[in-house]
Amino acid sequence: MAGLRLDAALAKLMPDYSRSRLTTWIKEGAVTVNGKPAQPKDKMIGAEFITVSVRPSEENLAFTPEPMDLDLIYEDDTVIVVNKPAGLVVHPAAGNWTGTLLNGLLAHCPELSQVPRAGIVHRLDKDTSGLMVVAKNLPAQNSLVQQLQARTVKRIYRAVANGVVPFDGKIDTLIGRDPHNRLKMAVVKYNGKPAITHVKVLERYPAHSYIECSLETGRTHQIRVHMREANHPLAGDPVYGNPRHPCSEVAKEAVKSLQRQALHAYRLSFIHPKTQETVSFEAPMPADMYHLLSVLRLEAGLDSSLSHEEEWQDKLDGDDDDDWNEDDYDVEVVYVRD
């Protein structure tokens, strides 16, 4: 490791910890080289004696277990896959220090207190329902984080959008803080992060569309921002939606009764950190979105008594939802950055 920076060398020596966490420890003085404080960028020559004082995360010390009913789709000694209901905050923050998914996970699995953020590697908005994967140990957490960074985790969402989405396609933009409202995200021309969403239309109704969205990236509010940018914001979205979207009174009432954006994380696929096999999970459509779709199908003259998921899945049989090849689409681009 001669010639490596200290933070890079530590990342190799202590693979159970993320590089950012090791860098923080170095800056806090928890790492010494030959008995002296060091900096992350210090170059290693060889034969140094490195001492690391492993520190628990401050946020972990602040979190407390809170028993709650969790819809666990899968669990083993490495990962947990949970179906998060709408209305549940994922992570404690200002205004929501208790009653979060993290608090429930700590009660269900106390050993998660030894893992940063209780093993949570990605999040869903409070009012978005669906699948999340949680790591039960540090090696699993690092593996999942690396998969997310490499964009090999496949996340498929089902949603109801305003208007008739005309075709399938890809939305490719930069997303950053809205310059006019720092509490919101927006498509920006500069200083944003790349964001790519693939959109597939499942059904069209008089004033709405049932769509499937696949994420290549995982930016904050990505699908909600992208669909607004495509002029088809999600039905019921209180932040990015259009409360005056023209539609029938029956449809308006169904959207209003949803009391959230019509977005559900339907399918999740990743490489299992321990077995190295690709695993895939699905979460059924929640009752509130199922009701909305039933109303929209009935209004469109479709048979609302049919099993939505079985019918749509039959229609998608033969398609590989986890392999989004833009060349397969009728029209490749909905909105692309210049």
Side-chain angles (χ1 to χ4, degrees):
M1 298 184 187
L4 289 182
R5 290 168 45 123
L6 174 59
D7 53 2
L10 274 186
K12 291 180 177 293
L13 291 167
M14 304 177 69
D16 285 355
Y17 300 93
S18 67
R19 184 163 174 173
S20 61
R21 193 178 189 194
L22 293 169
T23 299
T24 299
W25 289 349
I26 296 171
K27 293 178 178 178
E28 291 176 347
V31 178
T32 62
V33 178
N34 294 329
K36 298 179 180 179
Q39 295 300 318
K41 65 180 180 180
D42 289 351
K43 292 291 181 68
M44 299 293 97
I45 298 173
E48 289 91 351
F49 187 84
I50 301 175
T51 302
V52 181
S53 299
V54 176
R55 295 183 174 181
S57 168
E58 289 184 4
E59 61 180 12
N60 284 350
L61 296 175
F63 299 150
T64 56
E66 296 179 34
M68 65 177 64
D69 291 331
L70 297 176
D71 184 5
L72 302 183
I73 302 298
Y74 174 82
E75 180 176 10
D76 60 22
D77 60 354
T78 305
V79 298
I80 298 173
V81 177
V82 60
N83 182 19
K84 186 190 84 69
L88 180 62
V89 175
V90 170
H91 196 276
N96 293 286
W97 290 113
T98 61
T100 70
L101 175 62
L102 182 145
N103 298 118
L105 286 169
L106 287 174
H108 170 74
C109 183
E111 57 264 36
L112 288 176
S113 63
Q114 303 304 311
V115 186
R117 297 174 297 281
I120 294 172
V121 296
H122 65 114
R123 305 185 189 187
L124 293 176
D125 296 336
K126 174 185 176 181
D127 291 325
T128 296
S129 57
L131 294 175
M132 294 179 57
V133 60
V134 177
K136 295 181 73 172
N137 52 55
L138 285 168
Q141 187 179 52
N142 283 335
S143 172
L144 291 169
V145 168
Q146 290 169 11
Q147 291 183 53
L148 286 163
Q149 293 172 342
R151 302 183 184 179
T152 57
V153 175
K154 304 296 183 182
R155 288 164 290 171
I156 309 293
Y157 291 71
R158 296 276 174 91
V160 177
N162 288 346
V164 179
V165 179
F167 42 70
D168 301 345
K170 180 175 75 171
I171 306 176
D172 185 352
T173 72
L174 296 178
I175 286 181
R177 289 288 174 186
D178 188 329
H180 305 293
N181 183 346
R182 301 297 294 175
L183 299 178
K184 297 169 60 177
M185 307 302 289
V187 168
V188 295
K189 291 185 177 180
Y190 311 102
N191 299 323
K193 295 182 178 180
I196 300 174
T197 304
H198 297 276
V199 180
K200 179 185 290 185
V201 182
L202 301 181
E203 282 194 334
R204 297 181 176 91
Y205 313 114
H208 296 87
S209 299
Y210 181 46
I211 62 174
E212 188 168 270
C213 299
S214 173
L215 297 183
E216 276 194 35
T217 55
R219 308 307 176 199
T220 302
H221 300 172
Q222 179 172 319
I223 292 175
R224 299 166 66 187
V225 171
H226 269 170
M227 292 311 298
R228 182 188 69 171
E229 187 68 16
N231 294 318
H232 294 287
L234 299 188
D237 192 327
V239 178
Y240 304 100
N242 176 13
R244 292 180 293 277
H245 174 61
C247 59
S248 69
E249 289 301 319
V250 173
K252 283 183 181 178
E253 187 60 32
V255 171
K256 182 179 179 180
S257 66
L258 192 66
Q259 297 185 325
R260 67 176 180 109
Q261 63 269 8
L263 183 62
H264 175 64
Y266 163 73
R267 179 179 296 173
L268 177 67
S269 301
F270 56 90
I271 299 172
H272 192 284
K274 186 174 182 179
T275 68
Q276 294 302 300
E277 295 179 349
T278 299
V279 292
S280 183
F281 304 92
E282 293 182 359
M285 189 65 64
D288 57 354
M289 280 187 62
Y290 188 93
H291 172 72
L292 172 61
L293 287 165
S294 297
V295 170
L296 297 177
R297 283 177 61 83
L298 186 63
E299 184 182 42
L302 302 174
D303 187 353
S304 63
S305 66
L306 295 176
S307 172
H308 298 161
E309 293 308 308
E310 290 181 6
E311 179 188 357
W312 285 315
Q313 199 56 52
D314 286 343
K315 184 160 46 176
L316 291 172
D317 278 349
D319 293 341
D320 185 355
D321 290 342
D322 290 339
D323 184 12
W324 291 83
N325 183 350
E326 62 200 53
D327 295 331
D328 292 338
Y329 300 136
D330 295 333
V331 178
E332 293 183 14
V333 176
V334 173
Y335 181 93
V336 179
R337 180 177 72 254
D338 289 335

